[in-house]
Amino acid sequence: QVQLVESGGGLVQPGGSLGLSCAASGIIFSGYVMAWYRQAPGKQRELVARITSDASTMYDDSVKGRFTISRDNAKKTVDLKMTNMQPDDTAVYYCNAVFRLGGRFYWGQGTQVTVSS
């Protein structure tokens, strides 16, 4: 019943911008901390950005100042706006939801982002 669906991935040139979106269903969205992770080929999955129920945000140093995470509790969506993208941003990006009090977490299926000329 729980589902996270990412969209918006694709090919972008270095210095360009791209927006990702994650739509949640089957959960009480406002009770979850939402986050975006990414995983490049042959590397571990890493946290990119997270946002709490009251919209407090945290970013990895590698994307700070370039990426912006936001959420809409009414629409049950979390977005990631990426600017000044670099080849090192190339990865599969995953939406993540965590209910800290209940110890539950969920993952989306992932969406491919490729930064290349």
Side-chain angles (χ1 to χ4, degrees):
Q1 299 117 294
V2 178
Q3 194 167 354
L4 303 177
V5 180
E6 301 99 332
S7 62
L11 176 65
V12 63
Q13 295 183 355
S17 300
L18 196 66
L20 305 180
S21 185
C22 171
S25 61
I27 62 171
I28 303 175
F29 185 79
S30 61
Y32 283 75
V33 174
M34 303 299 298
W36 285 96
Y37 285 73
R38 66 186 181 188
Q39 186 168 23
K43 305 187 73 174
Q44 296 290 321
R45 189 171 299 185
E46 64 178 5
L47 176 65
V48 176
R50 69 175 177 88
I51 183 167
T52 64
S53 298
D54 62 349
S56 177
T57 60
M58 185 280 291
Y59 299 91
D60 183 79
D61 287 341
S62 66
V63 306
K64 194 171 185 178
R66 300 189 297 119
F67 290 12
T68 302
I69 189 171
S70 61
R71 68 189 293 161
D72 188 327
N73 288 340
K75 296 180 179 179
K76 300 178 69 172
T77 58
V78 58
D79 296 340
L80 184 68
K81 185 177 296 182
M82 303 179 288
T83 64
N84 191 24
M85 299 188 71
Q86 304 299 312
D88 284 348
D89 295 322
T90 296
V92 176
Y93 283 70
Y94 296 90
C95 181
N96 170 261
V98 176
F99 179 44
R100 289 176 170 175
L101 198 59
R104 294 188 287 272
F105 64 94
Y106 304 96
W107 292 98
Q109 84 287 351
T111 184
Q112 177 70 51
V113 173
T114 302
V115 185
S116 176
S117 298

